Amino acid sequence: MDPIKLEIIRGAIRAAQAEMDALLERTAISAFIREKKDFYTALFDADGVMVVGSMVPIFGDVTGPVFARFAPDRMREGDLYWYSDCYASHGAVSHSNDQVFLAPVFHHGKRAAFVMGWAHFSDIGGLRAGSISSDATDIFQEGIIIPPTKLIDAGAVNEAALEIFHRNSRYPEQSRGDARALMGAVDLGVRRVTELLQRFGPEVMEAAFARLFERTRELVRARLRETFPIGTHRFADAIDSDGQGNGPFHIRAALTRTRDDRFIFDTTETDDQAPGPVNFLMNPDVPGMALGLFFLGGDPAQVCNAGGPRALDEVILREGSLLWPRFPAPLGLRGMTMMRFLAVLNGLVNAAGGSAPASHSAYVIIMLRGTAGGKPFLMSDGVGVGYGARPSADGIDAVYFVAQENYPVEFLEHSYPVRLLRYGIHCDSGGPGRFRGGAGVVREYEVLAEHAVLSMRIDSVLNPPWGVVGGMHAGTGSAVINPGTSRERKLPPLSDGTVLRRGDILLLETGGGGGHGDPFHRPTEQVLQDVRDGFVSLDAARRDYGVAIQENAVDEAATRALRKVLPVPVP
């Protein structure tokens, strides 16, 4: 494969995938797709192996569930396949809201590639509006389950199947719009890949795909060798609760590098599955995909593909555990466990002597369901948290997940019966360190609806995100109704069914990320700037960083006295 042509093809497939992302974002109806960007698009080779996908580290074997029911050799141009069945897909999708659409791409009658898009549909039936609730005790309470289905047969749409799906939603018009957007994005991907096949030919494209797989695998494999010495490396973390009085639940992982250079990832010591919906049905490809994304490090010359999972020789999961629950365990809030699992991977890298970030909080989800002006509404708000400090930089502040944003105030107030009284940085939530952990968010909502029911998901309260190399743990999150009044009450961090009325106030504070390095080594001017910007309080500057601030300036003499306990000189 000519290296210049390889880079042209790499850029072209990445551009096609990004164009699919843009179309889906701009044409979807529901806010969770349009504003929160809770979707994923990818391109695959003729055998269904991923060539390029979004930079989201939760990817599994998406094509396998379709191939198990529909033979690829019998597929035709114009077909489209659909599913959301978590257990039948072996965790390729890990909660039922995510709908997968997969289409084959043909060149002169021969199958040459596949295109896929999935997106989070906001309501698919189930126990409560939003189809996610900490009260769920099995997956059937989390909405309709779609087994691998042929949605379009050589261009003919199975409208009856779609209508059954939409009829199970409390918001069918939104569901219809999102389905059209997802189908449009996949159709666009098919057209773009067809154009590339016409330009380069299927043999050149196939060779480029194979080289890109191998290049990613070689890079990730080399970084694994650099990071993990021969032997077994272990790390554990925990989620607080399942929302039903159980917990904490521990995630324990081990990565072994054998003397013959095999890499084996083992999660069998993880706790048993939870009665509540925090189970994470983790596809075996996920650890390699997540480690691959970490080792690629955002390099624009690389693409996220199946080379990451192929860098691991074996992934061992235990049936009946939190990471491989038995059917029909509920899965709706698996995002909380997924985020802790990603923190465990960071911990494994650090335990082996690598340079991963400190731990992070799990992004917060609130759902407000009710009636306003005689009409039902569903507000699903994913709220940003702080991410762990890095070996050479502070953690990222107020991020929902990866590069996904918080809802703007104007959007919330225009779309839902709420008023935002306050929105800003959660002071002192970032873990102190030479590099400060990312800070969480403060949001204060006033309810304008006649009646509403609140669902809340916060984690890392009992087990706050950890720091590394002397960095301190992060601050935690909380949710308080009517703060500072006689009606004040603090909500359990994982709960549902809280009834609110017009005029009630919800004060939400989200957690931060752990710090990196000794906080007494943080330059005093940076601490002063953090105080001025509202990230660190005066008391925390003195207590955690050893920096005395008076009249908006560093008190040098008092700071020297506070920092005289330093074990080594400040860099």
Side-chain angles (χ1 to χ4, degrees):
M1 169 56 60
D2 173 74
I4 295 176
K5 188 174 290 185
L6 178 66
E7 290 308 302
I8 292 172
I9 292 173
R10 180 196 61 79
I13 61 174
R14 178 66 183 91
Q17 183 263 325
E19 191 177 0
M20 292 171 63
D21 279 356
L23 178 64
L24 182 52
E25 176 186 349
R26 294 172 186 176
T27 59
I29 300 300
S30 65
F32 233 68
I33 301 176
R34 191 178 70 249
E35 298 290 336
K36 303 305 293 187
K37 303 177 180 59
D38 197 343
F39 58 79
Y40 192 105
T41 62
L43 310 179
F44 303 77
D45 71 4
D47 296 320
V49 181
M50 190 176 78
V51 178
V52 59
S54 306
M55 292 293 186
V56 180
I58 56 171
F59 187 88
D61 174 18
V62 168
T63 58
V66 172
F67 295 169
R69 185 162 182 179
F70 299 95
D73 291 342
R74 299 184 65 181
M75 294 178 177
R76 296 186 293 173
E77 193 166 352
D79 285 353
L80 181 69
Y81 299 86
W82 172 30
Y83 72 89
S84 66
D85 191 330
C86 302
Y87 285 94
S89 73
H90 306 292
V93 288
S94 50
H95 72 171
S96 299
N97 295 77
D98 294 338
Q99 307 299 312
V100 175
F101 286 1
L102 177 73
V105 184
F106 289 82
H107 181 74
H108 297 321
K110 183 179 179 181
R111 189 183 75 253
F114 286 89
V115 172
M116 182 277 297
W118 67 245
H120 177 107
F121 281 54
S122 291
D123 184 82
I124 58 168
L127 183 65
R128 294 184 185 272
S131 311
I132 295 174
S133 173
S134 58
D135 294 338
T137 57
D138 64 47
I139 196 168
F140 298 108
Q141 297 173 353
E142 297 175 338
I144 188 171
I145 299 169
I146 306 298
T149 302
K150 184 184 284 190
L151 179 59
I152 302 180
D153 186 357
V157 180
N158 187 341
E159 298 287 356
L162 275 175
E163 280 308 304
I164 291 170
F165 177 72
H166 300 321
R167 187 67 177 88
N168 276 269
S169 175
R170 297 167 178 87
Y171 305 92
E173 290 307 311
Q174 177 177 271
S175 178
R176 289 187 181 95
D178 288 345
R180 287 193 295 268
L182 188 54
M183 292 166 72
V186 172
D187 181 66
L188 174 64
V190 169
R191 286 186 278 123
R192 292 292 179 262
V193 174
T194 299
E195 292 165 1
L196 292 174
L197 288 163
Q198 291 169 347
R199 177 181 177 185
F200 294 104
E203 294 81 9
V204 172
M205 292 288 286
E206 183 180 358
F209 292 167
R211 182 67 194 112
L212 289 171
F213 293 145
E214 192 57 28
R215 189 167 77 178
T216 299
R217 180 185 177 279
E218 289 171 354
L219 187 152
V220 175
R221 189 89 175 172
R223 294 295 306 276
L224 285 169
R225 291 191 190 99
E226 292 171 7
T227 303
F228 292 95
I230 291 172
T232 297
H233 311 272
R234 302 178 185 276
F235 199 82
D237 206 339
I239 61 170
D240 293 342
S241 167
D242 68 347
Q244 298 181 12
N246 308 292
F249 295 89
H250 293 83
I251 301 168
R252 300 180 179 91
L255 197 153
T256 298
R257 179 183 176 186
T258 65
R259 293 193 177 277
D260 57 350
D261 217 28
R262 297 182 74 245
F263 289 92
I264 302 169
F265 191 87
D266 187 345
T267 67
T268 54
E269 295 183 1
T270 293
D271 283 355
D272 290 345
Q273 67 189 60
V278 297
N279 301 290
F280 176 29
L281 186 66
M282 185 177 73
N283 189 271
D285 279 0
V286 167
M289 184 63 68
L291 286 168
L293 281 175
F294 169 71
F295 287 133
L296 291 176
D299 183 352
Q302 306 299 330
V303 290
C304 171
N305 64 31
R310 290 179 173 185
L312 294 176
D313 296 284
E314 186 178 3
V315 173
I316 305 172
L317 303 169
R318 178 174 63 84
E319 186 177 9
S321 73
L322 191 70
L323 299 180
W324 196 250
R326 293 186 178 92
F327 178 82
L331 308 172
L333 294 173
R334 95 294 186 230
M336 203 163 71
T337 306
M338 176 192 72
M339 294 302 289
R340 292 271 55 76
F341 175 75
L342 296 178
V344 167
L345 293 182
N346 285 347
L348 270 176
V349 171
N350 286 323
S355 299
S359 183
H360 47 261
S361 291
Y363 55 94
V364 172
I365 299 288
I366 70 169
M367 290 191 184
L368 195 65
R369 324 167 180 100
T371 305
K375 295 182 179 180
F377 73 91
L378 168 64
M379 184 186 83
S380 301
D381 193 3
V383 187
V385 295
Y387 283 71
R390 295 157 284 179
S392 59
D394 290 347
I396 303 171
D397 305 303
V399 173
Y400 168 64
F401 181 43
V402 190
Q404 300 176 358
E405 301 93 346
N406 302 300
Y407 286 153
V409 172
E410 298 84 353
F411 169 78
L412 271 176
E413 294 188 342
H414 175 75
S415 303
Y416 305 108
V418 296
R419 180 179 293 119
L420 265 291
L421 305 179
R422 185 156 49 121
Y423 175 37
I425 290 295
H426 182 192
C427 186
D428 292 338
S429 58
R434 165 62 183 87
F435 296 103
R436 174 181 53 77
V441 167
V442 174
R443 277 199 197 254
E444 194 167 14
Y445 308 77
E446 180 183 359
V447 177
L448 304 181
E450 295 90 355
H451 175 271
V453 176
L454 177 67
S455 170
M456 178 65 57
R457 192 200 83 182
I458 302 175
D459 189 46
S460 305
V461 176
L462 300 178
N463 300 282
W466 38 264
V468 292
V469 199
M472 298 172 66
H473 66 71
T476 60
S478 65
V480 179
I481 303 297
N482 298 317
T485 73
S486 60
R487 296 181 294 123
E488 177 177 315
R489 52 183 168 137
K490 188 171 183 178
L491 297 181
L494 193 56
S495 58
D496 203 342
T498 301
V499 176
L500 301 177
R501 304 287 182 183
R502 183 189 295 274
D504 282 340
I505 304 296
L506 167 64
L507 174 60
L508 175 65
E509 297 177 322
T510 71
H516 194 290
D518 190 330
F520 274 28
H521 287 174
R522 188 168 178 83
T524 57
E525 287 303 313
Q526 290 186 19
V527 178
L528 176 62
Q529 193 62 50
D530 281 342
V531 171
R532 288 172 172 170
D533 292 341
F535 289 90
V536 176
S537 67
L538 285 171
D539 288 344
R542 186 180 187 91
R543 178 188 68 241
D544 299 331
Y545 291 94
V547 176
I549 297 174
Q550 295 287 341
E551 298 180 354
N552 205 29
V554 175
D555 184 329
E556 300 291 351
T559 297
R560 282 195 298 273
L562 289 169
R563 288 190 162 189
K564 67 182 179 180
V565 297
L566 276 176
V568 293
V570 176

